Amino acid sequence: RPTTVTTGPDGALWVVDMYRLVIEHPEWIDDEREKELFLRAGHDRGRIYRIFPDDAPPRPMIALDQLESAQVAELLQASNGRLRDMAQQELVKRDDRGVTAKLEQMIVNSPSEMGRLHALCTLAGTTFPNHKLLLAALEDKSGTVRRHAIRLCETHLSTKKPFSQKILAQLERMTDDPDPMVRMQLAYSLGETVGEEGVTGLARLAQQSAQAPYLRAAIISSLNRDNLIRFHNTLVNHPEIADLYQPTMLEMASRMNNVPFLTAVVNDLLEQIESV
C-alpha cells in the first residue's frame, strides 16, 4: 500500500509503504467480523523502498549535523530538491547568524535559481531579509523567486516604515509581470497594505481578470472595509470589469455593515437613473 513517492536525498526514488492490516474504517466492517480482527495490526510497522538503476547506486547520505553552517548553506544550491529542503531546515534550526552574510550574497549572486530561492526563504526563517534584499529579489529573473519575494514583502507592507513605500511602488510596477503566478501572488499580498494603499495595484490586476476567475478570487480576498470604496471607484471607468466585482462587493459590504460603501453605490445608481 504505497502512500508517498518522492526523491530521496541520495537521488533514489523513495516509496513509503503502509503496513496496516486494516485500512477500512471500523464503521463499515461487519460487527461480528470486527471482533475477529486486531484493527491496529501493523500500526508500528512500515517500509521505505529505494528504487534506483542497477548501474547507478544511490549517492552516500550527507550527515548535515556534522557540517559547518557555511557548508550546509552551499547545499541550498544542490540539484537534489530533498537535500535543499533538509539544508534549509538545518540552517533555520541552527539560527546561526554567522552564515547570514553568505545567504545574502547567495540571494543576489547564486547562479542557481533554487539556490537563490532557498537562501531567501532560509533568511525568512531566521533574521528575515532586509528591504534592499527583497527589492533585489523582486527583480530576479526567476518568476518563482519573484513570487516568494512578494510573499515575504507582506511583513513590510503592513507597516508605516518609509521603505514600505518603496516596496509598494515596486509591487505596483509588477502588475504586468509575464508570470501569471507572480500576478496571482500580488493579488494576495496587496491586501496586506495599510488602508487603501494597495488599491492601485489591485485595480490594475482587476483589468486583467475578465477571463481569469482565480485571479479575481485572489483580488477579492484582498478587499476589506478600508479599501472597498476606493477599489469600487477605481473601476468606475471600466464598467465591464466593475460588473464582475460588484455583486461580490455588495455582499461583502452588507455582511460588514459597510454603510459608506453601500451609500456610495446607491448614489452611483441614482446618478445613472437621473442621466437616462
Side-chain angles (χ1 to χ4, degrees), residues 5 17 23 34 43 55 62 66 86 90 94 101 107 113 120 136 141 162 168 176 181 190-191 205 213 226 234 270 275:
V5 178
D17 188 43
I23 59 174
E34 187 176 336
H43 71 94
D55 59 350
I62 300 176
Q66 302 299 313
M86 292 170 60
E90 179 70 18
R94 291 185 188 188
I107 292 171
E113 173 191 10
L120 181 67
K141 61 184 179 181
L168 178 59
D176 293 324
M181 296 306 294
L190 286 171
L205 290 169
D226 294 331
T234 305
L270 289 174
S275 64

Side-chain angles (χ1 to χ4, degrees), residues 171-220:
L171 295 183
E172 290 177 345
R173 289 192 289 270
M174 297 175 70
T175 52
D176 293 324
D177 192 281
D179 189 317
M181 296 306 294
V182 169
R183 299 196 299 274
M184 181 78 79
Q185 185 61 55
L186 273 175
Y188 290 129
S189 297
L190 286 171
E192 297 299 316
T193 54
V194 177
E196 303 177 346
E197 291 184 342
V199 169
T200 300
L202 290 173
R204 291 176 183 169
L205 290 169
Q207 293 174 37
Q208 307 171 32
S209 67
Q211 304 299 322
Y214 293 110
L215 180 59
R216 286 203 302 277
I219 292 168
I220 289 169

